[in-house]
Amino acid sequence: MASQLSRTAPPAKDATVQPIAATPELPSAVPLMALSTGFWAFKTLAAAHELDLFSRLAGGAGTTVAELAEALSLHQRPAEMLLTGCAALGLLEKTGGRYRNTPLSETYLVRGKPYYFGGFVQMLDKRLYPGWGRLTEALRTNRPTTWDPAVRSSAFDGEDPMMLALFWEAMHSVSTMTARKLGEAMDFGHFRRLLDIGGGSGAYDIELCKQYGALRATVFDLPHVAAFAAGKIAEAGLTDPIETAGGNFFEQLPGDHDLHLLSMILHDWDEAKNRALLRRSFGALPSGGAVVISELLVNDEKTGPAPAALMSLNMLIETEGRNYTQAEYSAWLEEAGFRHIETVWFEAPGANGAVIGRKAQWNRRPAVQPCATMMMEAEMARTQTRVDRHRLLGLVLKTTATAIAALKTWQQTVSRRRAIAGLTPERLRDIGHAEAPAPVLEVKAGLVTNLMSMR
């Protein structure tokens, strides 16, 4: 007999008993909790920094809850909660009843220390945090939220001077450690003079010139930024190897530098401006020079990594740009004329890698031989059927493009920069060649012949 407590009748003797389906195991919600409350950790750090907690504890001086409450005019309840929170985040440690800085906070969060990172924390809290609060608006409008494009031409135009100073201090914080890691990942010893394009505070130049004693550098940025960099350079005692220059890198770049650095610059701008800037860099570099793009690189699949992907969203609320991939930068470099493109990887606050492009050295034979080969192919095609003249046109155009590149390089070498766009047989004949090497003259003669045959 079924129990009176049973809620179901027993199955009939001939009924088939079905097994109870197992409940599928649910994924843990803990990661979502961590994501949702991420701002708790940041605001704890920001509040502690604003109260100068870490600077107060510098040098090993500890504090009790009661001492901190009295020093900061806080109630003991919030003072204890703040110290507990900072200890939980690895910013403080507690020994013998006293809270002290950990090596992390002692190195990076104490004002006046060489690698002080607090400027970045403060900038995030005061400038970016409110903008991120309007991220949905930025997604819907495709416009920044930390400034109004309707009334200002850029994030820096008309900005409060105190906020600008905060921004550059923050960039100096991030750039200092990133430059150090870049200098370890890439050998700068082969280069003579570095041009730091959009160099901001000069942090990269300061660190790299410390690592490479023979390196000389120029910080090139807007005049008021260059003046800020000059102060940082003087503080570092490096006014001899590092100089500053004011200007707009979209308009011109200083010459006489064999290495260009673009660090956390290209993510500010759209693709068209970036490609134009890389072309300008190629034109300003000597043969054998190189350009380095140091950024938080999004992977080619555009699935991460998280620091690069989130920095890209930060560009949405701040700029017209985004964080690009290694493949995108490599394609733009090749389009601009750079060769032997490679990427070096490292881990730093402001970058996870650097894409490097090199400007080929002037070499007569390799530069000209392809021209001669294509001209012979073009001549053979020209003597064949009428249908093959389409192939001839393609070959002549390829020959022309290759020869133009060779002639441009030669003209730079002899300081005779003449426009050769819109090449015609007559114009080609007019290009001066008193100092031209014999192979270039051979290419020139072949070009005239082939261009005339197409008439």
Side-chain angles (χ1 to χ4, degrees):
M1 178 179 293
S3 167
Q4 292 180 352
L5 299 178
S6 174
R7 295 184 180 182
T8 58
K13 292 182 178 179
D14 59 346
T16 302
V17 178
Q18 298 293 329
I20 298 175
T23 302
E25 185 176 351
L26 297 174
S28 171
V30 170
L32 282 180
M33 183 66 176
L35 284 174
S36 302
T37 60
F39 71 95
W40 293 358
F42 169 68
K43 291 299 285 187
T44 300
L45 167 62
H49 175 267
E50 186 173 348
L51 292 170
D52 267 338
L53 174 61
F54 308 108
S55 295
R56 286 178 177 275
L57 302 183
T63 186
T64 64
V65 172
E67 289 171 352
L68 184 68
E70 183 178 357
L72 298 180
S73 300
L74 302 177
H75 294 285
Q76 287 204 20
R77 173 175 172 266
E80 180 181 56
M81 296 164 77
L82 177 63
L83 290 171
T84 302
C86 287
L89 294 172
L91 301 171
L92 298 178
E93 56 191 7
K94 187 178 183 182
T95 55
R98 300 182 70 81
Y99 292 89
R100 292 178 174 84
N101 285 341
T102 61
L104 179 69
S105 54
E106 183 72 17
T107 303
Y108 298 114
L109 295 175
V110 174
R111 296 183 190 276
K113 287 292 186 81
Y115 297 108
Y116 175 64
F117 200 77
F120 189 67
V121 174
Q122 189 175 0
M123 192 269 286
L124 288 175
D125 189 36
K126 302 303 181 184
R127 176 185 172 86
L128 295 185
Y129 194 80
W132 272 84
R134 299 165 58 198
L135 177 60
T136 304
E137 176 187 332
L139 291 166
R140 286 176 170 154
T141 63
N142 193 28
R143 292 161 62 90
T145 56
T146 57
W147 57 283
D148 187 357
V151 297
R152 289 161 56 184
S153 60
S154 76
F156 308 109
D157 175 41
E159 181 61 275
D160 173 50
M162 292 294 291
M163 190 63 76
L164 276 180
L166 182 63
F167 175 84
W168 291 117
E169 285 291 348
M171 291 300 99
H172 193 80
S173 300
V174 174
S175 299
T176 296
M177 281 306 300
T178 306
R180 186 174 183 179
K181 293 297 183 180
L182 174 62
E184 294 170 357
M186 176 184 167
D187 186 5
F188 285 76
H190 300 294
F191 299 97
R192 179 179 57 89
R193 292 195 68 195
L194 165 68
L195 180 65
D196 191 356
I197 301 171
S201 69
Y204 273 82
D205 312 85
I206 291 169
E207 285 299 312
L208 292 173
C209 285
K210 285 180 180 178
Q211 290 186 48
Y212 296 89
L215 185 66
R216 296 293 180 266
T218 302
V219 180
F220 183 65
D221 212 316
L222 296 172
H224 68 278
V225 182
F228 178 78
K232 289 291 187 182
I233 295 164
E235 288 177 14
L238 291 171
T239 53
D240 180 40
I242 307 174
E243 61 184 20
T244 62
N248 185 334
F249 54 65
F250 284 122
E251 296 175 357
Q252 56 93 22
L253 293 176
D256 196 27
H257 296 79
D258 59 347
L259 180 64
H260 287 176
L261 175 62
L262 290 158
S263 173
M264 295 184 284
I265 292 299
L266 298 187
H267 69 188
D268 288 343
W269 309 101
D270 63 24
E271 295 184 26
K273 287 187 175 72
N274 287 336
R275 291 160 78 175
L277 183 53
L278 291 175
R279 289 193 296 269
R280 186 174 297 280
S281 170
F282 183 84
L285 281 167
S287 297
V291 63
V292 177
I293 303 170
S294 176
E295 289 277 4
L296 283 167
L297 300 169
V298 174
N299 63 33
D300 291 344
E301 296 78 20
K302 297 191 176 181
T303 58
L310 296 178
M311 177 64 86
S312 195
L313 280 169
N314 190 59
M315 294 301 100
L316 176 63
I317 69 161
E318 276 271 84
T319 73
E320 64 187 64
R322 62 180 172 87
N323 280 56
Y324 300 95
T325 68
Q326 169 195 358
E328 288 170 314
Y329 284 131
S330 297
W332 300 345
L333 287 168
E334 186 170 7
E335 175 189 79
F338 291 99
R339 298 295 179 263
H340 309 296
I341 298 163
E342 63 173 320
T343 303
V344 296
W345 300 97
F346 53 92
E347 185 176 351
N352 60 6
V355 187
I356 306 162
R358 294 172 175 82
K359 186 170 181 176
Q361 297 243 14
W362 167 250
N363 186 324
R364 290 183 185 180
R365 296 184 65 83
V368 177
Q369 276 183 333
C371 301
T373 301
M374 284 188 289
M375 283 191 298
M376 285 191 293
E377 291 181 1
E379 182 61 25
M380 291 172 62
R382 188 178 64 84
T383 60
Q384 295 175 10
T385 64
R386 194 174 193 80
V387 176
D388 287 340
R389 290 182 68 82
H390 292 288
R391 177 170 173 259
L392 170 62
L393 177 60
L395 288 168
V396 169
L397 291 175
K398 285 172 64 180
T399 303
T400 304
T402 305
I404 286 174
L407 287 168
K408 279 185 175 179
T409 303
W410 159 63
Q411 286 181 314
Q412 290 171 358
T413 303
V414 296
S415 299
R416 302 185 63 181
R417 303 171 185 268
R418 299 187 182 182
I420 55 175
L423 194 62
T424 65
E426 293 77 15
R427 187 162 185 182
L428 186 63
R429 288 195 190 99
D430 291 339
I431 295 177
H433 59 270
E435 308 92 337
V440 173
L441 296 178
E442 179 184 349
V443 172
K444 175 182 166 182
L447 276 172
V448 172
T449 301
N450 279 292
L451 287 169
M452 290 297 290
S453 72
M454 295 304 297
R455 290 188 166 181

